[in-house]
Amino acid sequence: VHWVQQGVGVFFEYDTPKIVHIRSKKIGILSRSVQACVIAYVVGYVMVYNKGYQEVDKVVSAVTAKIKGNILTNFTNEELLNVRPEWRDLYRRVWDVTDFVVPPIENNAFFVMTNVVITP
């Protein structure tokens, strides 16, 4: 019976940062009760009742594409048969980065130009 009282006494001891052992069952019970309430709140209410483990948040991001170089489009007259003669210079040109990266910043997306329709 004596060793049970010692075990219970050790469990309800409270240590301060200065390592002062307070041998008071009232303060020990209060300390462990506060700890148990905090654990019960986090596990029981936040995680189980409110399903905190399933909580998600909306992602906010931006993607910037940095591309270097130029592109030369040099079509022949046979390839441009269906294009008006005054518009053919639009197809024979040097494309800069600012021409084929439009827009340079996308919200929650990434844009890569794979086809161009030229409208004069």
Side-chain angles (χ1 to χ4, degrees):
V1 175
H2 179 67
W3 59 274
V4 173
Q5 289 177 343
Q6 267 188 326
V8 170
V10 169
F11 181 75
F12 291 113
E13 286 181 357
Y14 173 74
D15 298 330
T16 65
K18 290 186 178 182
I19 313 297
V20 175
H21 293 284
I22 300 172
R23 298 184 191 275
S24 170
K25 289 184 182 177
K26 290 180 183 177
I27 294 176
I29 290 172
L30 178 66
S31 170
R32 299 298 181 197
S33 299
V34 169
Q35 290 173 352
C37 288
V38 169
I39 291 171
Y41 170 75
V42 170
V43 172
Y45 182 73
V46 174
M47 298 302 284
V48 176
Y49 183 73
N50 282 340
K51 296 183 181 177
Y53 57 91
Q54 293 179 346
E55 191 170 309
V56 294
D57 199 4
K58 186 177 178 181
V59 177
V60 178
S61 67
V63 176
T64 302
K66 269 188 131 173
I67 300 175
K68 296 180 180 180
N70 298 320
I71 297 174
L72 172 65
T73 54
N74 191 11
F75 292 100
T76 62
N77 285 333
E78 292 82 25
E79 293 173 311
L80 300 175
L81 285 177
N82 296 329
V83 178
R84 292 184 187 176
E86 62 269 12
W87 292 355
R88 290 184 182 175
D89 288 337
L90 296 173
Y91 290 85
R92 295 183 186 121
R93 60 182 275 195
V94 175
W95 296 77
D96 192 11
V97 174
T98 57
D99 294 325
F100 56 84
V101 179
V102 177
I105 297 176
E106 285 278 333
N107 288 327
N108 298 324
F110 184 75
F111 176 77
V112 177
M113 183 175 65
T114 57
N115 189 14
V116 177
V117 176
I118 297 174
T119 55

